[in-house]
RNA sequence: CGGGGCGUAGCGCAGCCUGGUUAGCGUGCUUCGUUCGGAACGAAGAGGUCGGAGGUUCAAAUCCUCUCGCCCCGACCA
C-alpha cells in the first residue's frame, strides 16, 4: 500500500485550532486525522481511520485467538430492554433517548449488556453450548455531562466489548483469566507502555476487576504500583482497599484508562432470564463477565504517550504507514528516479508508504513528516540520490542511516 | 446544571470599549518567476451572510434584547 501525499486526503494545519487543549487532540487535528463535527463527536479522516483500523485488527486477532466470536449489535435499541434490567432509570441523562415514527421508546446504546444477554437468552439453552464469549467493535454513545479532551472523552466512541457466559463461577473466572491474558497480549502488541491495575477487590473476592492503563504524564488517573512485583492499583481504590504494600514502597505514575475487565456474575442473566440447563436438568442463570477496550481512546492515548515537540511518534504496529518517503527537490531527475525505485521496492516488500511528493520545500516536508510521526522517514536528497544513497531517519530515536537503494533498516 | 471565556476568510488573530468610505493582519489556498537539506523569496490573485434573529440609529462587526454553538473549571464518567 503506497499513497502519494499529493493524491491523498490529509488536510493538515500549521496552527493549533483553539478548540484543542490536549496534545493528542491538537496533533490529530493538525495531522488531518480527525475533525470535530460537534461537541464530543468526531469525523475520522483517512489517516486517522488507518490507525483506528490497525488498533481494531490487533484487538480482533487476539480476541479471536482467545476463542471469542465477533458479532455486531445495533446502536439503536428498544428502551423496553433497558427497563427489564432497571438501567433505563439508572443511566439517567447520559442515556440518549428518542422515539421512532411509531412513538416507540428507543435508546442509543452506551453499552451492550442488555442486548448481548438478550441474544443469549433467545439462542442458548444448554450447558453444552458453553463457554461462550461474544464480542464486537462498535460505536457507543454516552451523552456525557461535559465532553472534553478530544477523543479522550467524547460522547461517541469506538469500543471493543466482549461478554463471557459460563455455567459456573469457577468457569467464569477462568474465562476472566483468559481475557486478562488476551488483554496483556493486545497492549503489548500495540507497542505501548501500560499497566493492569486492580480496580476493585471487594464483593467478588479475589482480583476480578482490572483496569488497563496506558502510561502517560497527561493521564487523568493516578496509579500506584510495585516496581518489583505485579501489584498495581488506581489511587482512588488504594485507600478503600487493604493494601498489601505500604504506600512508600509504591511508585506513582499517571495513566489513561483504555480497558476494563469486569466479572459480572449473574446480575444481567437473572434479570433477563438468561438461563442454561445443566446436566442434571436444573436451570441456572449464566455467569457473565464483560471486557471493554476503548478503541478510539487507545488512539489518543498512544499519542499522549508517544509524542515530542515536533509531533507524533507512532509505535510501528499502529502507525498509519510504515515509511514516510520524501524527495527534497521536486523535478530533480536523480531524486525522482530513486524515489520511484524505492516506492516500488517498498511496495514489493509489503511495506506501507506515504510518499510526500508535494512540490514543497525540504523544511516543510521534514516538518510535515515529523508531525505525522511515521516510524521511518526515507529521505531522498539531490546529492545522495546521485550516488544511489537513501537517508533513513528513525522518528523515535532520531537515528539516521545512509543506505544504498534496495536496503531498508527494518 | 453552576461559574468563566469565545464566535470576524480553511487555521490563528486584530478591529468592538468610544457606531461613520470598498472589514483588516498573519498563515494557508491559486497563478507566475526565482529558489531547493529543517515550515524559502518576490509579484499578482481568489476567498467574509462579522454565529443567527429582532431592536435602537441617518448609519451597526461595534450599542440593546433574545437565541444557537464551541471551549475551560466544577459535580459525573470509559
Amino acid at each position: 500500500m503506497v499513497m502519494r501525499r499529493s493524491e491523498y486526503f490529509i488536510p493538515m494545519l500549521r496552527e493549533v485550532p483553539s478548540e484543542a487543549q490536549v496534545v493528542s487532540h491538537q496533533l490529530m487535528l493538525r495531522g488531518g486525522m480527525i475533525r470535530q463535527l460537534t461537541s464530543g463527536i468526531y469525523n475520522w479522516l483517512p489517516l486517522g481511520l488507518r490507525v483506528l483500523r490497525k488498533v481494531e485488527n490487533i484487538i480482533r486477532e487476539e480476541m479471536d485467538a482467545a476463542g471469542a466470536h465477533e458479532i455486531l449489535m445495533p446502536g439503536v435499541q428498544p428502551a423496553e430492554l433497558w427497563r427489564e434490567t432497571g438501567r433505563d432509570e439508572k443511566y439517567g441523562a447520559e442515556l440518549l433517548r428518542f422515539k421512532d415514527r411509531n412513538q416507540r421508546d428507543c435508546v442509543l446504546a452506551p453499552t451492550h449488556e442488555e442486548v448481548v444477554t438478550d441474544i443469549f437468552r433467545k439462542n442458548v439453552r444448554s450447558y453444552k453450548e458453553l463457554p461462550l464469549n461474544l464480542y464486537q467493535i462498535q460505536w457507543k454513545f454516552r451523552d456525557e455531562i461535559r465532553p472534553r479532551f478530544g477523543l479522550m472523552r467524547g460522547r461517541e466512541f469506538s469500543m471493543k466489548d466482549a461478554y463471557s457466559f459460563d455455567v459456573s463461577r469457577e468457569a467464569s473466572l477462568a474465562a476472566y483469566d483468559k481475557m486478562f491474558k488476551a488483554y496483556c497480549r493486545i497492549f503489548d502488541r500495540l507497542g505501548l507502555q501500560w499497566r493492569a491495575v486492580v480496580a476493585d477487590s471487594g464483593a467478588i473476592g479475589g482480583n476480578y476487576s482490572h483496569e488497563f492503563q496506558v502510561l502517560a504524564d497527561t493521564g487523568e488517573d493516578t496509579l500506584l504500583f510495585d516496581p518489583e512485583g505485579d501489584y498495581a492499583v488506581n489511587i482512588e481504590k488504594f485507600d478503600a482497599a487493604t493494601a498489601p504494600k505500604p504506600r512508600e514502597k509504591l511508585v506513582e505514575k499517571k495513566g489513561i484508562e483504555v480497558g476494563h475487565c469486569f466479572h459480572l456474575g449473574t446480575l444481567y442473566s437473572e434479570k433477563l432470564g438468561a438461563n442454561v440447563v445443566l446436566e442434571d436438568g436444573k436451570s441456572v442463570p449464566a455467569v457473565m463477565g464483560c471486557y471493554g477496550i476503548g478503541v478510539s481512546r487507545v488512539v489518543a492515548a498512544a499519542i499522549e504517550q508517544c509524542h515530542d515537540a515536533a509531533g507524533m511518534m507512532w509505535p510501528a504496529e499502529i502507525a498509519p504507514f510504515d515509511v514516510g518517503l520524501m524527495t527534497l527537490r521536486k523535478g530533480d531527475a536523480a531524486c525522482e528516479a530513486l524515489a520511484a525505485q524505492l516506492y516500488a521496492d517498498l511496495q514489493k516488500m509489503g511495506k506501507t508508504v506515504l510518499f510526500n511528493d508535494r512540490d514543497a520545500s525540504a523544511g516543510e516536508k521534514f516538518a510535515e513528516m515529523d508531525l505525522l510521526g511515521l516510524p521511518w522517514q526515507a529521505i531522498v536528497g539531490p546529492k545522495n540520490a546521485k550516488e544511489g544513497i537513501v537517508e533513513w531517519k528513525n522518528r523515535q530515536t532520531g537515528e539516521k542511516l545512509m543506505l544504498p537503494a534496495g536496503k531498508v533498516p527494518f
Side-chain angles (χ1 to χ4, degrees):
Chain A
M1 167 75 181
V2 179
M3 194 57 76
R4 285 177 180 272
R5 169 84 173 82
S6 63
E7 295 169 0
Y8 203 36
F9 183 54
I10 311 181
M12 294 181 71
L13 298 170
R14 289 203 179 194
E15 294 177 89
V16 183
S18 57
E19 71 197 45
Q21 299 298 315
V22 298
V23 70
S24 58
H25 192 194
Q26 295 175 345
L27 290 172
M28 290 187 80
L29 250 15
R30 291 189 58 206
M33 301 176 74
I34 57 167
R35 284 293 182 266
Q36 177 166 316
L37 177 63
T38 186
S39 182
I41 298 178
Y42 294 84
N43 292 303
W44 286 76
L45 306 187
L47 200 67
L49 187 60
R50 285 182 70 88
V51 177
L52 190 71
R53 293 286 185 244
K54 287 202 156 188
V55 174
E56 286 177 1
N57 286 337
I58 288 172
I59 293 171
R60 187 172 278 120
E61 284 173 22
E62 293 300 334
M63 292 304 293
D64 289 346
H69 308 296
E70 185 170 7
I71 61 174
L72 185 56
M73 292 178 272
V76 174
Q77 307 181 350
E80 181 57 33
L81 195 51
W82 286 70
R83 288 192 197 109
E84 283 194 62
T85 58
R87 288 169 105 196
D88 175 41
E89 282 188 20
K90 198 179 169 190
Y91 241 94
E94 203 173 304
L95 181 63
L96 183 62
R97 303 145 204 266
F98 57 97
K99 288 180 189 292
D100 67 11
R101 67 198 297 160
N102 295 315
Q103 301 305 306
R104 291 195 187 94
D105 292 322
C106 300
V107 305
L108 207 46
T111 180
H112 284 75
E113 279 84 5
E114 279 78 2
V115 171
V116 78
T117 307
D118 182 63
I119 291 173
F120 185 92
R121 71 175 169 183
K122 286 175 176 165
N123 298 284
V124 179
R125 298 275 94 85
S126 162
Y127 75 97
K128 290 179 184 171
E129 298 169 67
L130 301 187
L132 180 65
N133 188 320
L134 300 175
Y135 80 98
Q136 68 170 347
I137 295 173
Q138 166 72 304
W139 293 85
K140 311 291 191 204
F141 190 91
R142 296 184 188 174
D143 206 355
E144 288 283 336
I145 293 173
R146 183 153 90 87
R148 58 184 128 174
F149 305 146
L151 257 33
M152 302 278 273
R153 183 177 272 87
R155 292 193 290 170
E156 188 182 57
F157 58 98
S158 172
M159 185 180 220
K160 185 286 300 175
D161 45 328
Y163 305 88
S164 63
F165 298 88
D166 288 277
V167 289
S168 67
R169 186 172 182 281
E170 292 68 37
S172 180
L173 297 185
Y176 183 101
D177 287 335
K178 207 170 182 178
M179 278 295 108
F180 184 91
K181 291 191 176 87
Y183 271 38
C184 294
R185 284 192 295 274
I186 288 167
F187 290 105
D188 279 343
R189 281 188 61 186
L190 290 172
L192 300 171
Q193 288 182 283
W194 60 277
R195 295 292 300 217
V197 307
V198 178
D200 192 339
S201 55
I204 303 160
N207 295 329
Y208 287 99
S209 176
H210 288 88
E211 291 172 355
F212 284 75
Q213 298 264 355
V214 166
L215 302 182
D217 295 337
T218 52
E220 284 192 278
D221 291 349
T222 302
L223 322 175
L224 297 171
F225 61 89
D226 181 355
E228 292 162 7
D230 288 337
Y231 179 73
V233 65
N234 192 319
I235 201 166
E236 285 174 12
K237 320 279 179 186
F238 182 77
D239 297 330
T242 316
K245 281 265 183 177
R247 176 77 162 76
E248 313 82 67
K249 294 209 171 180
L250 300 173
V251 174
E252 191 176 310
K253 289 229 177 188
K254 291 286 183 183
I256 299 164
E257 185 184 352
V258 289
H260 201 156
C261 290
F262 201 84
H263 181 76
L264 289 174
T266 53
L267 189 65
Y268 295 97
S269 50
E270 279 180 25
K271 283 186 173 154
L272 294 168
N275 303 315
V276 283
V277 177
L278 300 179
E279 256 180 307
D280 60 9
K282 285 180 185 161
S283 193
V284 296
V287 185
M288 295 172 60
C290 68
Y291 317 91
I293 293 179
V295 183
S296 45
R297 183 182 276 186
V298 163
V299 176
I303 297 171
E304 293 291 333
Q305 183 180 98
C306 310
H307 71 273
D308 63 13
M312 300 175 268
M313 298 191 292
W314 291 106
E317 282 269 8
I318 58 173
F321 290 92
D322 301 321
V323 180
L325 169 62
M326 67 186 108
T327 53
L328 297 188
R329 196 178 297 180
K330 178 121 181 168
D332 179 90
C335 282
E336 299 286 343
L338 185 52
Q341 188 190 332
L342 252 180
Y343 188 92
D345 288 349
L346 288 165
Q347 189 161 24
K348 235 175 274 173
M349 294 169 63
K351 302 298 182 189
T352 54
V353 181
L354 179 63
F355 181 16
N356 195 337
D357 62 338
R358 296 208 316 163
D359 184 11
S361 70
E364 189 175 341
K365 288 186 183 178
F366 283 129
E368 267 197 9
M369 280 301 181
D370 284 348
L371 176 64
L372 295 180
L374 306 178
W376 287 96
Q377 293 173 15
I379 302 156
V380 179
K383 284 176 189 165
N384 290 327
K386 278 179 193 156
E387 293 155 31
I389 300 289
V390 178
E391 177 181 329
W392 289 85
K393 176 179 152 187
N394 183 305
R395 178 67 180 87
Q396 294 224 18
T397 64
E399 170 195 15
K400 289 179 179 172
L401 295 169
M402 307 297 263
L403 296 177
K407 287 201 172 180
V408 299
F410 63 105

